[in-house]
Every structure is written in C-alpha cells, then in structure tokens.
C-alpha cells in the first residue's frame, strides 16, 4: 500500500534533497517545497499526508505555516524542524497544535520514525471522518458531516447555511457557549467557493489587548519595540478565503472602529507601514451574547453590528435538539476514542436515553467532555435538571427517552416499543403527540 505523501518544506535545496533521499530509502513519497506559499497550495482538510517544515524561512516562517495549515485542518499532523536556538519556540508550538519537532542535525532514522507515527495518526483521522459520514448517512454533504443531527432546528440551520454558502455575504453567528459556532463557521467555509483557500480563525477574547491590532492587521519591521521582522496579520493570512472572528463582542471599542474600516474598504494597512494591502476575503463573526443588546448597552458599535449582520445564524442549544443527543454522543465518542487511541466503548440504549434526558448547560462542548470521560472509563456526570413544572419535565423526559431509543435502534418501531415495554399502538400515539418522525432516526 502506498504511503500518503509527506509535504517537506525548507528553503535550503541541499536539505530538501537530503530529506528526499532519506524518505525515498524508507519508501515514503515526499513532495518538496522551497517555501510556505508552495506548500499551502497542497493543503486542505482532505490532504492525505502530513506537513514537515523548517521553522526559519524567509517570508512566512514555519510556525506561521503551521498556523495556516491547522486553520485548514486542525487535525493535520505538523512536524517542525528546528535549529538549536529554536527548541523553546518548538515546544510552544506543540502547545498550539504541532504534532512533534526534531532538532537539526537530526538522525535520519528518527525523522522516519516520527513521520511514520504521524502518517498513521493521519490515516486513522481520515478513516474516522469517513466512518462518521457513512454512519450518519451523509455522503458528500459537508455541512451535514459537521453539523450532525435530525432535529428540526438543526435541519433548518443546515438549510440556512446551504442557502448562503455560495454567496459573498458576511455572516454573524450567535449562540450560547458550546453550541458549535466555530463548527458552523467551518461548515460554511467548506461549502463555499472559497473552500480550497485558507480558513483563519482568531479568538478575539484570547488575545492581550496590546497585541490584538498586530495580530489582526500585521506589522512592519520596527513598528514597535520587539518588532524585529515584519509579520503578516490574520487578515492577510486569510486572503482568498475566510476570516473567522470568534467572540467579536470582546473587541475594545477603539479597535471596533478600525475593524469597521477594514471590512468596509477591504483594505488593511499593517502597523508601521504606509502600504495598504487589498483584501479578498469573507468575514464570519461569532458572539456568545446578543449583539443587538450589546449595541443598546453601548458595548458594541452599531455601525459595526450592521456591517457584520448581513446574515445572522442562530445556533440552537442542545436542550432544543434533545433527539440529536444519542447519535451525536456516539459520534463524539468515536472521535474521543481515536484521539486517545482507546477502543470504542459500547453504550447501552438506557444510557443514551439518560443522556438525552439530561440538561446540558455547556451544550455540545459539555457533551464532548462526557464522551471523553466515557472513553477514559470515568463516570459520565449527571447534571441537575432545571426547575419547572413537573408535568412539563416529565413530558420532556418521555419525549427524550423515546427519541433516544428510536435513535439507538436505527428508527425501528418494533425494537423501540419492545425496549420501552409498551405496545405498538402506545408508541405510535406518543410519537404523534411529540411529533417524532421515525425517518429522522434512520441512518441511511
């Protein structure tokens, strides 16, 4: 079986030739690139191989290439080749997503061993994606592969994303913590004409205020103390693709004004430079709070809000799509098992029903954590139910239980009423009462 390609990036021709000889002797096909720009042309979320890159290169360096690669596919194994003085930088990069690093001069056998492990990880990742799509009956539907579920609210969301994916409209995504705003942004990008170009995500709340402007717009050499070389900003990294501004509501008001100007003119000027850079990109912004209310409270500029709010997507909470929980939990379970190299545990239908009946204030993120704990043989926590009328809570629980049982039995009516210990007639009556369609629970 032919190995997936190794994308090897180094600006020194002698090192590229040496690596080609080393990997050739190990029967590992390699694509050599002299710079980051050449490498980016090969990378997408379906790229079957791995990336090996030197850190010190002119223009875009190895760490910036790694960021751009992981923005296209967060699961892509990236191996950094470092000089002696770059070890601390490589360790920091591993915290930011690098798979491993190797220090020059390296032992060829060690390089081959690291690459083989990375290729095996990549193979498992891509197999999991294929299995996930097959299990959910998704075929080539990129949006459904990322936003799984058969509930009405998630179907509506997917339809909205399909309707706007082919347009150039900027998009605002609103939703509570953990509802999957970033996943929706990636699905929108992956289904757009820009899908082969970069998807660059930045968490506006995670950046120190003093660095936000430099991170977004870039800077010229000498723009401020410590700026020893020029740096591309996130806007430039995203040229031709999509820029995702997560937690955009956390930006300071002064920076909101500069962001507005960039979005309006599609031109960015790096700090310390007089040379404007034209931008061809789509902007997707996300907020965990209602921006309309933030405008009313004076915490967000109204002109920026209206600029971003060309199209708004509302992410549903997990409690609004309880019938999706069993299938979604099993998908998250498979992902966690692959990530931790553990066997996929069996989950009884009763456990899936219990999960569907729980309240999940942390939404999909909390459910993902529960899947992680299940794979690691830890107890799945039972979060408390929210207060409410007893009759309503019992009806919610009954609906969730029936939906979970249908899902765990692939929509089979007979298996469902036998598991629940009720008659076929009683099951049909309850399905009518709760508007449950068996077709939604079938995995095609």
């Amino acid at each position: 079986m032919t190995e997936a390609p190794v994308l090897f990036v180094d600006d020194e021709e002698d090192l590229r030739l040496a690596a080609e000889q080393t990997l050739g002797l190990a029967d590992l096909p390699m694509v050599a690139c002299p710079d980051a720009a050449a490498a980016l042309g090969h990378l997408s979320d379906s790229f079957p191989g791995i990336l090996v890159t030197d850190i010190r290169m002119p223009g875009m360096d190895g760490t910036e290439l790694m960021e751009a690669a992981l923005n296209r596919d967060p699961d892509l194994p990236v191996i950094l080749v470092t000089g002696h003085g770059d070890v601390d930088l490589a360790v920091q990069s591993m915290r930011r997503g690098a798979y491993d690093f190797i220090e020059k001069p390296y032992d060829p056998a060690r390089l081959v061993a690291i690459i083989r492990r990375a290729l095996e990880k990549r193979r498992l990742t891509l197999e999991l994606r294929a299995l996930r799509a097959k299990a959910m009956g998704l075929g080539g539907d990129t949006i459904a592969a990322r936003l799984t579920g058969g509930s009405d609210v998630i179907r509506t969301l997917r339809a909205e994303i399909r309707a706007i994916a082919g347009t150039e409209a900027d998009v605002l995504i609103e939703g509570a913590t953990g509802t999957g705003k970033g996943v929706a942004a990636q699905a929108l990008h992956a289904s757009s004409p820009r899908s082969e170009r970069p998807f660059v995500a930045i968490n506006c709340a995670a950046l120190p205020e003093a660095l936000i402007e430099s991170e977004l717009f870039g800077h010229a050499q000498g723009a401020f103390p410590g700026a020893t070389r020029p740096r591309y900003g996130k806007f430039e990294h995203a040229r031709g693709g999509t820029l995702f501004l997560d937690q955009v509501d956390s930006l300071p008001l002064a920076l909101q004004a500069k962001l507005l100007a960039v979005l309006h003119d599609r031109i960015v000027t790096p700090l310390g430079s007089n040379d404007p850079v034209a931008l061809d990109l789509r902007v997707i912004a996300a907020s965990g709070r209602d921006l309309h209310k933030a405008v009313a409270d004076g915490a967000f500029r109204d002109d920026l809000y209206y600029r971003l709010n060309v199209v708004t997507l509302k992410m549903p909470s997990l409690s609004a799509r309880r019938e999706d929980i069993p299938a979604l939990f099993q998908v998250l379970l498979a992902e966690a098992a692959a990530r931790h190299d553990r066997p996929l545990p069996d989950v009884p239908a009763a456990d899936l029903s219990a999960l569907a009946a729980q309240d999940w204030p942390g939404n999909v993120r909390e459910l993902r954590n529960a899947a992680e704990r299940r794979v690691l043989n830890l107890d799945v926590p039972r979060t408390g139910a929210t207060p409410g009328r007893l009759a309503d809570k019992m009806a919610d629980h009954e609906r969730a239980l029936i939906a979970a049982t249908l899902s765990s039995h692939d929509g089979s009516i007979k298996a469902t009423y036998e598991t629940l210990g009720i008659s076929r007639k009683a099951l049909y009556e309850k399905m009518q009462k709760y508007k449950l369609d068996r077709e939604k629970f079938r995995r095609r």
Side-chain angles (χ1 to χ4, degrees), residues 59-61 63-64 67 96 202 207 211 213-224 227-234 236-237 270-271:
M60 181 186 288
D61 66 22
T63 59
E64 292 173 326
E67 288 184 10
R96 293 158 55 192
I202 182 166
L207 291 173
L211 297 179
E213 194 167 354
S214 174
E215 283 288 324
L216 287 178
F217 308 139
H219 62 253
Q221 183 176 351
F224 51 83
T228 57
R229 59 191 179 95
R231 176 184 174 86
Y232 288 125
K234 298 296 185 182
E236 288 189 76
H237 278 309
L271 292 174

Side-chain angles (χ1 to χ4, degrees), residues 41-68:
H42 294 274
L43 294 174
S44 69
D45 62 1
S46 60
F47 175 65
I50 65 168
L51 172 64
V52 182
T53 178
D54 190 21
I55 287 184
R56 298 293 178 184
M57 296 186 296
M60 181 186 288
D61 66 22
T63 59
E64 292 173 326
L65 172 58
M66 179 192 77
E67 288 184 10

Side-chain angles (χ1 to χ4, degrees), residues 273-345:
S273 171
N274 293 319
D275 300 322
V277 178
L279 300 174
D280 169 27
L281 51 74
R282 183 184 207 170
V283 175
I284 303 175
S287 172
R289 60 173 170 164
D290 186 341
L291 282 189
H292 188 269
K293 186 177 185 303
V295 168
D297 294 339
F300 201 81
R301 291 180 62 102
D302 58 349
D303 46 7
L304 178 57
Y305 170 67
Y306 292 119
R307 178 73 208 182
L308 292 171
N309 190 28
V310 178
V311 177
T312 300
L313 297 175
K314 300 284 188 180
M315 298 301 298
S317 66
L318 203 52
S319 61
R321 44 183 297 222
R322 288 184 182 274
E323 55 262 51
D324 293 338
I325 291 176
L328 182 56
F329 183 75
Q330 292 180 89
V331 168
L332 297 174
L333 206 65
E335 291 177 350
R339 190 161 48 250
H340 295 290
D341 194 22
R342 296 286 188 93
L344 182 64

Side-chain angles (χ1 to χ4, degrees), residues 61-68 70-71 74 76 78 80 88-99 215 231 234 237:
D61 66 22
T63 59
E64 292 173 326
L65 172 58
M66 179 192 77
E67 288 184 10
L70 294 180
N71 277 321
L76 178 71
V78 179
L80 298 174
D88 288 342
L89 179 59
V91 172
Q92 294 173 18
S93 296
M94 288 189 68
R95 296 192 186 112
R96 293 158 55 192
Y99 175 75
E215 283 288 324
R231 176 184 174 86
K234 298 296 185 182
H237 278 309

Side-chain angles (χ1 to χ4, degrees), residues 143 147 149-164 312-314 316 324 440:
I143 298 172
L147 294 165
S151 62
D152 290 340
V153 288
I154 206 70
R155 286 169 180 261
T156 298
L157 177 65
R158 290 200 297 256
E160 291 172 343
I161 291 177
R162 288 190 190 96
I164 62 175
T312 300
L313 297 175
K314 300 284 188 180
D324 293 338
K440 291 182 180 180

Side-chain angles (χ1 to χ4, degrees), residues 161-228:
I161 291 177
R162 288 190 190 96
I164 62 175
T167 73
E168 289 296 302
D170 292 339
V171 179
L172 175 63
I173 304 176
E174 293 185 335
T177 298
T179 49
K181 297 184 289 293
V183 175
Q186 290 176 344
L188 182 55
H189 169 76
S191 302
S192 75
R194 299 177 179 271
S195 60
E196 297 301 317
R197 304 298 298 161
F199 175 85
V200 177
I202 182 166
N203 186 333
C204 300
L207 291 173
E209 187 169 336
L211 297 179
I212 294 178
E213 194 167 354
S214 174
E215 283 288 324
L216 287 178
F217 308 139
H219 62 253
Q221 183 176 351
F224 51 83
T228 57

